[in-house]
Amino acid sequence: MNYSNDEIQESDIAIIAMSGRFPGAKNIDEFWENLRNGIESISQLSEEELLSNGVEPELLQNPHYIKAKAILDDIDLFDANFFGFNPKEAEILDPQQRVFLECAVESLEQAGYNAQNYTGSIGVYAGLTQSSYLLKNLYANREINKSVSTFQLSLGNQKDFLPVRVAYKLNLTGPAVNVQTACSTSLVAVHMACQSLLNGECDMALAGGVSISQNTGYLYQEGMILSPDGHCRAFDAKAQGTLSGNGVGIVMLKRAEDAIAD
């Protein structure tokens, strides 16, 4: 669809690129096809998988323990050299931050910009969940704890450092703001990025969020928000609750008048 400048308001924001990874979909196109085809992307976990991920055997015997999770594939794959990480840095870096970095690059490429030579200002507004990788994998690994300091582990896994790490690694010179508002984090990140653009604080902005946690099920409790059967039926009369899942989504935003001019 074509727009003339007369139809654009000063407050309009354009989405010039987007990237994401979701359960059963390694990009936005596959995710859209799954939605169109009504594909449920929730995995049923075996007892062997759950035990290997640290679930207590007694918990598995509880009839209200639901062995289901929306899982993101290939989170162990990461091109550390591309981002200038040495092997040890990559090993202790939260997978959430690794995947977000990769999707941020994809958004920039899709929009047609090279951050290394872009003369404008690009901001980052993003948030993530607590690092289960730190709690379940790194703290429990004696060899890693002997070879790196607590401070290094903190730098690679604390929530605070995602936006500034993205800005540093990708040479982005705009605001780098950590957003933490629980379930609304990604939406608030988009809102704040729009405000930043309208206030002239940056010329473009990456906004989004990521959540990757341990592949375990959950204990259903009546009256809480989680589904009793491991299925999520959004906008359906049969809806009984939700469940946690893994994924990342980023949009690249620009003032609409600038996007049309470019």
Side-chain angles (χ1 to χ4, degrees):
M1 184 178 292
N2 295 319
Y3 292 93
S4 69
N5 287 332
D6 293 337
E7 296 175 289
I8 298 299
Q9 305 295 318
E10 288 186 2
S11 59
D12 287 347
I13 300 293
I15 300 172
I16 61 171
M18 64 177 71
S19 63
R21 295 185 193 173
F22 311 93
K26 63 179 180 289
N27 54 49
I28 294 289
D29 291 336
E30 289 186 6
F31 182 59
W32 176 240
E33 287 304 312
N34 286 347
L35 290 174
R36 289 185 61 189
N37 296 322
I39 294 175
E40 183 183 51
S41 299
I42 296 169
S43 299
Q44 300 301 314
L45 304 171
S46 69
E47 290 197 2
E48 290 76 16
E49 288 176 295
L50 293 167
L51 289 170
S52 67
N53 284 325
V55 178
E56 295 295 331
E58 303 79 41
L59 188 56
L60 293 179
Q61 305 309 313
N62 190 317
H64 295 298
Y65 187 79
I66 310 301
K67 306 180 182 80
K69 182 72 176 282
I71 296 172
L72 200 64
D73 294 328
D74 298 331
I75 61 170
D76 56 325
L77 306 181
F78 181 60
D79 189 351
N81 288 334
F82 179 86
F83 293 101
F85 289 104
N86 65 48
K88 181 58 69 175
E89 285 179 311
E91 184 180 17
I92 65 174
L93 182 62
D94 182 0
Q96 296 182 111
Q97 302 206 30
R98 299 180 208 163
V99 175
F100 194 94
L101 269 168
E102 292 173 336
C103 286
V105 170
E106 290 173 13
S107 292
L108 283 163
E109 291 178 344
Q110 187 185 117
Y113 290 96
N114 182 347
Q116 301 303 317
N117 56 30
Y118 178 66
T119 57
S121 172
I122 302 175
V124 184
Y125 292 81
L128 71 171
T129 57
Q130 185 177 23
S131 175
S132 66
Y133 182 69
L134 175 67
L135 299 175
K136 302 291 186 179
N137 295 74
L138 299 181
Y139 280 157
N141 189 315
R142 292 184 179 181
E143 292 303 316
I144 288 180
N145 280 278
K146 288 179 181 178
S147 62
V148 298
S149 67
T150 302
F151 180 64
Q152 287 174 299
L153 290 177
S154 174
L155 287 178
N157 290 271
Q158 293 296 340
K159 296 180 180 181
D160 302 340
F161 303 118
L162 172 64
V164 291
R165 176 169 281 112
V166 173
Y168 176 70
K169 288 296 182 179
L170 303 186
N171 192 39
L172 310 181
T173 58
V177 180
N178 177 45
V179 182
Q180 293 295 328
T181 60
C183 296
S184 63
T185 293
S186 296
L187 183 60
V188 174
V190 171
H191 169 75
M192 294 181 69
C194 291
Q195 293 299 309
S196 181
L197 288 166
L198 296 175
N199 292 334
E201 297 170 346
C202 57
D203 300 301
M204 293 190 290
L206 293 165
V210 57
S211 178
I212 300 174
S213 59
Q214 196 84 354
N215 289 340
T216 58
Y218 59 90
L219 188 63
Y220 168 72
Q221 294 175 284
E222 188 174 355
M224 303 298 283
I225 71 168
L226 296 175
S227 165
D229 60 4
H231 298 283
C232 184
R233 303 173 180 85
F235 311 111
D236 194 294
K238 297 178 182 178
Q240 300 181 85
T242 187
L243 66 158
S244 64
N246 295 335
V248 56
I250 301 176
V251 292
M252 190 159 191
L253 307 173
K254 195 172 192 178
R255 288 180 291 271
E257 56 185 354
D258 293 341
I260 290 174
D262 291 343

